[in-house]
Amino acid sequence: GWTWIGYPSTATMTVTEALANLTPTQGDVIKSKNKTAVYRNGAWMSSFTITPGTGLMYKSSASGNVTLTYPSGAKGEAAVEEADNLHWTPNASAYPSNMTVIAVVELDGAELVTETTEGYELAAFADGECRGSFRLMPVEGRCMAILTIAGDEAAGLRFALYDAATGEEWHDATQSLDYETDAVVGDIDAPYVVRFRSAGVDEWENAVNVYPNPVGRGQKVSLGLDAGTTGKVQVEIVNALG
């Protein structure tokens, strides 16, 4: 479903402006080297700025051919894109490809919601290197990240969370995700859930293992507990779609 498209216009435009003559399908995705936008209920979520010479990829579930005609020029709304001012800055130019993760965040078992997420930033790391970062934004009553993660080959991704209000960071998500070029993990209706724990909360950092990875027939889940563990233990298993 992916199609490479060029941007031959000489004007700088937002995704919304550039695709004004297109009738997208619900869930369509457009991405550049470091940004992704998703079409939802008549609007582009996380619409970014497209500059002349940019290469783009478009993913659609529409059947048949679609003709894309760019407007002749900007409508005056699109200025030079503002700096993201992110806590973690990925080097997207170091990699030829990327993947997209549409995610929500749980902290100590509670999903971060609109009233509490201003300034929260979700990032993905591989071998200690930031591959993508996104400041959570409100989407239909929930707070989501539309995370573009750079890469070129299989790698295990770990997530980190940053709170700009307090300067606090969380680096121990309870799960990892494998990088896969051009994959789209999660969607607006069923986002991928990234879970974090504060220090001292359920500290079973490496207690659960799932193998083989990626899983197939005959996958196994093992849980290692200290000999003195008492009481009930609840284990929740989710797939890449949450």
Side-chain angles (χ1 to χ4, degrees):
W2 283 109
T3 300
W4 284 95
I5 57 176
Y7 184 67
S9 175
T10 59
T12 297
M13 292 186 245
T14 64
V15 167
T16 301
E17 291 174 329
L19 304 184
N21 296 329
L22 183 69
T23 302
T25 302
Q26 185 87 330
D28 279 7
V29 179
I30 186 170
K31 66 179 182 177
S32 65
K33 182 173 289 188
N34 61 347
K35 297 285 182 71
T36 302
V38 180
Y39 189 76
R40 175 77 173 182
N41 294 335
W44 287 98
M45 303 293 177
S46 186
S47 177
F48 57 87
T49 299
I50 308 174
T51 55
T54 299
L56 303 165
M57 293 184 75
Y58 195 101
K59 182 180 178 68
S60 179
S61 59
S63 59
N65 295 329
V66 176
T67 299
L68 170 60
T69 304
Y70 291 113
S72 58
K75 300 177 182 178
E77 302 171 7
V80 176
E81 187 169 14
E82 295 181 0
D84 290 323
N85 294 321
L86 294 171
H87 179 62
W88 292 294
T89 304
N91 182 13
S93 297
Y95 298 92
S97 306
N98 57 40
M99 69 179 290
T100 300
V101 176
I102 303 171
V104 294
V105 174
E106 286 186 3
L107 180 59
D108 297 336
E111 183 177 319
L112 297 181
V113 295
T114 305
E115 292 76 13
T116 61
T117 52
E118 184 175 356
Y120 275 95
E121 180 180 330
L122 179 67
F125 289 79
D127 298 324
E129 177 189 31
C130 181
R131 296 289 188 89
S133 194
F134 190 93
R135 187 166 292 119
L136 295 182
M137 67 177 190
V139 177
E140 299 181 1
R142 304 177 76 178
C143 268
M144 296 188 182
I146 301 179
L147 191 59
T148 307
I149 303 172
D152 58 355
E153 57 186 23
L157 301 171
R158 303 290 291 183
F159 295 96
L161 182 68
Y162 172 71
D163 182 0
T166 64
E168 190 171 3
E169 296 181 4
W170 295 263
H171 286 270
D172 292 320
T174 58
Q175 82 273 12
S176 63
L177 181 68
D178 287 336
Y179 173 84
E180 181 183 349
T181 294
D182 293 333
V184 178
V185 177
D187 56 39
I188 302 298
D189 289 321
Y192 181 71
V193 182
V194 184
R195 296 176 172 89
F196 294 91
R197 296 188 300 267
S198 297
V201 179
D202 293 340
E203 291 191 354
W204 297 340
E205 304 299 346
N206 299 306
V208 179
N209 295 292
V210 181
Y211 54 93
N213 189 12
V215 296
R217 293 178 178 272
Q219 58 263 37
K220 300 179 181 179
V221 178
S222 66
L223 172 64
L225 299 176
D226 293 336
T229 300
T230 60
K232 289 186 177 181
V233 175
Q234 179 174 307
V235 179
E236 180 183 10
I237 300 173
V238 297
N239 66 9
L241 298 179

